[in-house]
Amino acid sequence: MKQPKNVKDISQGDGPLSAVEIHDQIPLPPPFDKLEDEPAIRPLTQDARDKFVVVDDTIAVGIPKPKTKEEEEKLVNGFLDGLRKCFSVADNWTFLQPLMMSMEHCAKCQTCNEACHIYEESGHNELYRPTFRSEIVRRIYHKYIKKHSTWVHGDIDLNWKTVARLIELAYRCNLCRRCAQTCPIGVDNALLAREIRKVASQEMGIVPREIHDDGSVLQLKVGSSTGMNDIVVKDNVEFIDEDTAERTGIPIKTPWDVEGADILLLHNAGEIMAWPENPGAFATLFQAAGLSWTLSSDFAAYDGINYGVWYDDVQFARVAIKHAQAAARLGVKRIVLGECGHAHKALTVIADKVLTGGLKIPVESAFTVLHEIVKSGKVKFDKSRNDFPVTLHDPCNVVRLMGIVTPQREVIKAVVPEHRFREMAPHGCENYCCGGGSGFAIMSGRNFSDWRHHLTGRRKFRQILEAFQGEEMDKEHPKYVCAPCSNCKGQIRDIIKYYDAWEKAGISYGGLVELMVNAMVDAKPGFIDWEWH
Amino acid sequence: MQWLPYVVAYAGIAVFLIAVIARFFMWARMPIHVRWELYPVAHDAKRARYGGSYFEESKWWTKPREVSLLGELKVMVPEILFLVALKEHNPKLWIRSLPFHFGLYLVVACTVLMLGTGVLGALSTSLLEGGFGTLLRGLIVATGAAGMCLAILGALGLLQRRLTEPGMSTFASGADLFNLVFFVVAFGVALVNFLLFDRDFSQTTSFTAGLVTGDFAAFSGAGGEAFLAVLTVVLLSVLVAYIPLTHMSHFVGKYFAYHAIRWNDKPLLRGDKGEAEVNKMLGQKVSWSAPHIKGEGKKTWVDVATEEFKKK
Ligand code: SF4
Ligand code: SF4
């Protein structure tokens, strides 16, 4: 396996430092257990290698190789300026203490490594150790900013390759923080990856197009990263209402801009575009339970996404403020977040210490609201309608990073026969990322999706297959992966497609509310559409 | 010159205390930051067991947040004493790290016992006579000897691992190796001194007691014996001063890593005092230079976060 020998390799040579091939990987469980039958990881084209900086055999950011000395210096100096700002209260009060904690105390014990699905599934490629990029950024900081002795902190050469490769490498981490959970000292490699992304974005303007230009910037320009404006979104939701009513036999009307409603529901607008059955199911359940709720057509408030959590504090704050302003204008009592993990963490946890005064509207998860609906008994469910194997994916943002573990399980208990539910191993706070975390689910340029499926999504796919072992692995025996998060769902959809897992093993996926409506006594049976992906 | 080892010991202790207190205040006085907790959060009275939080309740902000100190202690005490996180996630390192850390705890316990002996002896020598005195002296020898042996064994084991385990050796700096060698040498010299000349710790105890009472007695014995005793004091004093100046000060940082970050799930509700602190931070001027920010040290966080993109 091609891999770097040492962190110092980051500044050396020209081509990729690592490449993972299928035979480096551990076979998946049956029926995908033959490495030779797996689709090969497409190599990066020579053209891309010539044009862009590479750290391994794929590209996420796409930093053009500098053509002049000035461009080389701009990269190095921009990075150093940004890194300096990370340690200033004014510029980085948001993460200063967590950052310093992770810069100062790593014992380089490598305990965290095996917690990382990417490192594990790469066949233990050095480049993907959670500590690899952290060690580089620490060495740069100590040597070039603090001018500390390299004897104490380790040596590194800082040139444009170091900087550009390090930024690429910051996008080889799902920011799932599973490694941080195992660190005996409390060091957080995910946080350091995010700080590198932050320097690149906030200082140097270097970010993958999908999450910045086509993501948060688009959301702040037109209202949604999907490109939908308020008129289009209302049209789409009207269509979803009609379609859902046809499927369930229950007429629904999604309320818009209801002043003084109890709940403002924030969907990830990707649901409206890619999985319309999800907002449809929400509307069906909320209406049947008699909740006072509304969607908002206010600017950016019909899209709960906030990609800033992955790379940029300013973009994060801008979007969080838009969401809070919309809720304040309507005078709702609470914001409820739909099935979107990063939106949960963004508005509930991170924005907690960003929004103040009139913008401080209470925020809660849809999972607790759905659990309340189940407990209220206002909606009747017939578990036997979900008589197929079901497993549950725990979105990192909701579970490990927010501690919401049981409500979604209680809901499943109410709508799925007990003997049909199987937990993944491990699950709950120790779950593995779906592989789409930190923006990867929407990043597929060049061969990045191949890299994603083989490195980041493979552990989740492995867990899904393990959960369903013992079942008939064919299309005639459908199995449901409940992934109550839009990004996770996208990643799981992609990996199912990549391995043709519906055709070959009868594995499909969907959200939590779809399972609920599928079991609703008042709805026509068959809400889940197995053949549609 | 008999006071020289005392001066070195005082200096070592002073540097240690100043560095630890300075570190403590550095962490304690850091500005507010956004929440970045990681579950399980040990003080969640009802849900720490499985990693749940108050977010599992609908309208959580209307309900009391139950914080359990006992819950924290249940995690912290075994973690500090037995390094359970390391045991769970890296058993090969744990069998080396546990004796090292536990050895240090025993050496600290031995030092406390010797200081106690000094204070009691200064009050009245009769206090140290009889069974209690014998017990105290026995404990000093037991904790001291066991502590040194465990710390040396552990440090050697850690050194071996750091030199031979691929992931650790490629990341190790000169100082990482030096730190462990320093422990081995300092405790090794102290152990030799114990085995050759001070089997009952009486020299060391009277020296430690002198630090409290101000009775700066000279080390007894011939040249070699006195030299070894002074060398032991100097090496251990330098070690004590050195530890908090390195990343080994993680024993201070770890408290904040848990309490200020990992377990800091305290919500900021409308009208809370913390709002003023957040507002103060939002009033800071940013200098991030990327085209979508262009702070230039002139715009505040509020300015950059409320800029209208829509019309651009
Ligand atoms: S981050 Fe923590 S677990 Fe990983 S090497 Fe550093 S100290 Fe060890
Ligand atoms: S945050 Fe997740 S993906 Fe990133 S290094 Fe840690 S375990 Fe790996």
Side-chain angles (χ1 to χ4, degrees), chain A residues 91 107-108 184 318 360 402, chain B residues 53 162 176 254 268 287 304:
Chain A
D91 281 314
K108 299 178 229 170
R318 286 169 174 165
K360 203 137 201 55
M402 280 182 72
Chain B
S53 74
R162 213 170 263 292
D176 294 329
K254 192 166 171 174
L268 184 68
S287 59
V304 294

Side-chain angles (χ1 to χ4, degrees), chain B residues 187-305:
Chain B
F187 282 120
V189 169
L191 189 66
V192 171
N193 182 42
F194 160 72
L195 290 172
L196 293 183
F197 304 119
D198 195 20
R199 289 271 178 98
D200 59 358
F201 267 71
S202 56
Q203 281 260 32
T204 318
T205 306
S206 85
F207 172 79
T208 315
L211 289 172
V212 192
T213 59
D215 176 12
F216 300 153
F219 285 110
S220 57
E225 186 177 347
F227 173 75
L228 203 57
V230 172
L231 186 63
T232 302
V233 169
V234 170
L235 284 173
L236 290 179
S237 302
V238 176
L239 183 65
V240 163
Y242 178 68
I243 291 171
L245 304 177
T246 68
H247 80 83
M248 292 183 282
S249 62
H250 61 236
F251 61 92
V252 187
K254 192 166 171 174
Y255 174 84
F256 291 94
Y258 278 76
H259 287 85
I261 303 166
R262 260 182 96 149
W263 294 346
N264 187 0
D265 63 343
K266 189 167 184 280
L268 184 68
L269 300 175
R270 195 166 173 177
D272 281 357
K273 273 206 306 246
E275 279 200 319
E277 236 181 304
V278 172
N279 287 337
K280 194 174 133 205
M281 287 301 140
L282 293 171
Q284 303 259 356
K285 295 203 166 89
V286 295
S287 59
W288 295 106
S289 313
H292 66 287
I293 306 176
K294 287 207 184 92
E296 292 162 358
K298 293 189 187 115
K299 300 179 195 168
T300 65
W301 276 90
V302 173
D303 296 335
V304 294

